[in-house]
Amino acid sequence: MAGIEGISRQGERMSAYGRDENEWDRLTEAGRKFLVERARLRKVTTYTELNSILVGRTGHRAFDFERAHERAAMGHLLGLIVLRHHERDPATSRLMLSALVHYLGANDAGSGFYELAKQLDLLPKKASKAEKEEFWIFQVNALYDHYDRPRA
């Protein structure tokens, strides 16, 4: 039985959007690694491509973008990826890996990207459309620059 924002209790473990903690952990790490790869290649990706990569790398079921609940679950995952990335690479604490993910046929991040940026105090709460676009472009370029550096 789904609870608030797709979270339900199954036994003693919390489950978000019908996926348990272990699944979220594997999806988060696989997604983080893939987005770092994309940044190193100086390329963005789509939700569709990310979904396919996650299935291939984890063996977990795909997100069904025909269902609002599943689209929200992908947004949840992208938030987890950003936070995990900040933990793993503190030098990126002002960067959002999710900036590299956009809708097929679009050249912009989704609304959840901007909401998370506001929650992380990276974007003003009442940012204009122009400010959002500038922020997104900055994020993508900053990620490219960060991962373009030679690795130690």
Side-chain angles (χ1 to χ4, degrees):
M1 174 172 142
I4 298 173
E5 305 218 10
I7 298 174
S8 63
R9 188 166 290 282
Q10 295 178 341
E12 292 300 311
R13 298 183 61 131
M14 289 299 287
S15 172
Y17 300 101
R19 297 173 190 259
D20 69 26
E21 290 176 41
N22 290 332
E23 186 171 352
W24 283 116
D25 187 56
R26 290 191 66 212
L27 290 166
T28 300
E29 192 57 23
R32 188 188 71 78
K33 287 179 179 177
F34 173 66
L35 293 178
V36 167
E37 291 167 13
R38 298 306 289 179
R40 286 191 174 117
L41 294 171
R42 300 182 75 84
K43 294 185 181 279
V44 294
T45 189
T46 63
Y47 287 93
T48 303
E49 181 180 33
L50 175 59
N51 197 22
S52 177
I53 293 294
L54 291 171
V55 169
R57 292 186 182 185
T58 68
H60 293 301
R61 68 179 167 82
F63 291 87
D64 179 359
F65 296 138
E66 296 295 316
R67 301 174 61 204
H69 183 74
E70 290 283 300
R71 291 191 302 272
M74 176 59 86
H76 175 75
L77 174 62
L78 289 171
L80 293 174
I81 289 169
V82 168
L83 297 176
R84 168 84 52 91
H85 194 61
H86 292 172
E87 291 171 6
R88 295 279 168 91
D89 187 355
T92 65
S93 66
R94 306 286 299 161
L95 300 178
M96 295 177 63
L97 265 180
S98 60
L100 300 177
V101 184
H102 62 89
Y103 295 109
L104 193 61
N107 193 24
D108 191 9
S111 60
F113 168 77
Y114 298 110
E115 288 306 312
L116 180 58
K118 291 174 187 178
Q119 290 173 17
L120 296 173
D121 291 325
L122 299 175
L123 186 66
K125 302 287 186 223
K126 296 186 186 238
S128 68
K129 183 176 180 172
E131 288 172 313
K132 289 177 182 178
E133 183 175 315
E134 184 179 314
F135 174 76
W136 175 67
I137 292 168
F138 169 81
Q139 286 288 311
V140 170
N141 288 323
L143 285 161
Y144 290 168
D145 292 345
H146 179 77
Y147 285 103
D148 199 28
R149 297 183 318 217
R151 289 179 257 166

